[in-house]
Amino acid sequence: TGMEHVSKEGGSAFALSRPPGHHSSPSTACGFCTINHAVVCAGHALFSEDNAQVQRVAMLDIDVHFGNGIAAALGSDPKWENKARYCSLHQQPAFPFSGGKNAESIFAKYGSANNLLRFLPMLPGIDGRIWLKTLKEKALPFLHEFNPDLLIISAGFDALDSDPLASLELTPDDFRQAAIQIRETFPDLPIIAGLEGGYDVDRLPEAIAAFLEPL
């Protein structure tokens, strides 16, 4: 799989996954999502005997919707404590209406919420300049200080300005710039990205290609 390849060989890989997964909790399908690919990938990387070199996993969610399923999975099971760290940049208010500011403690049932989860809600209409500034100054430092062995990206592209299901104002080049920031922060880290949302089917391929090129 892509995760096994990058954890052993380095570099990056992209999973063209459908349906998306980041809303699905350990017990419930939600928001088009049935299997939470990012959580499954993190669990395999951390707890499989074949991947003993992976001790800490950082998880970055750039889908326009909050990844409530990832937060619920990590926050409800103590096995993730000091093993995984999750950060979500998302529109708020928007589905699933649960990733508000300072809501980390609602999801984190074990350990320190500030060490496990970071939610970065953004108002409708935010453009790429502000989004990229938040990524650079808040999201990536939170994940970098964790010193991860693997980065998993929930790569949704529904923050595009033309997406019919959300109201952020990103362009394909903003996603390119995001990937540049990510690689500059983690120059040698194995990265696996998986497709989440993205519902402007005409511009989705352009956004994906722009994001993957710098990785």
Side-chain angles (χ1 to χ4, degrees):
T1 65
M3 187 280 298
E4 291 171 333
H5 173 76
V6 299
S7 64
K8 294 177 181 178
E9 304 296 332
S12 60
F14 179 68
L16 196 64
S17 48
R18 274 291 184 263
H22 72 151
H23 293 308
S24 180
S25 75
S27 61
T28 307
C30 176
F32 308 148
C33 303
T34 53
I35 297 173
N36 199 316
H37 313 294
V39 172
V40 171
C41 181
H44 185 63
L46 287 168
F47 306 117
S48 169
E49 294 181 357
D50 296 333
N51 297 294
Q53 70 273 31
V54 178
Q55 298 297 313
R56 292 175 303 280
V57 171
M59 304 176 74
L60 174 65
D61 194 335
I62 61 170
D63 191 278
V64 79
H65 302 103
F66 169 55
N68 56 310
I70 299 177
L74 270 56
S76 64
D77 192 329
K79 74 180 182 182
W80 298 103
E81 190 174 1
N82 300 316
K83 287 288 188 179
R85 182 174 278 198
Y86 171 69
C87 184
S88 173
L89 293 86
H90 53 271
Q91 178 181 318
Q92 186 74 4
F95 180 86
F97 305 103
S98 58
K101 187 176 181 180
N102 300 321
E104 290 89 348
S105 60
I106 297 173
F107 287 86
K109 308 300 182 185
Y110 299 90
S112 170
N114 293 330
N115 190 50
L116 179 67
L117 306 170
R118 179 69 51 86
F119 305 157
L120 300 172
M122 300 188 180
L123 292 172
I126 290 295
D127 63 11
R129 180 181 59 85
I130 297 174
W131 189 92
L132 286 165
K133 180 179 173 66
T134 305
L135 176 70
K136 182 177 182 178
E137 296 183 358
K138 296 184 178 181
L140 293 177
F142 172 71
L143 298 176
H144 184 264
E145 70 182 13
F146 191 54
N147 193 25
D149 302 303
L150 175 69
L151 174 64
I152 298 172
I153 303 175
S154 293
F157 298 92
D158 37 9
L160 275 173
D161 53 10
S162 56
D163 195 278
L165 297 187
S167 303
L168 294 191
E169 299 291 330
L170 273 65
T171 67
D173 189 63
D174 290 325
F175 286 105
R176 185 192 312 277
Q177 295 304 315
I180 291 172
Q181 287 187 14
I182 291 167
R183 258 304 168 211
E184 288 178 346
T185 304
F186 301 106
D188 302 312
L189 194 69
I191 297 175
I192 175 72
L195 181 62
E196 295 284 357
Y199 307 101
D200 179 348
V201 295
D202 293 324
R203 295 181 72 205
L204 179 60
E206 180 185 359
I208 293 173
F211 182 72
L212 292 182
E213 183 182 357
L215 291 181

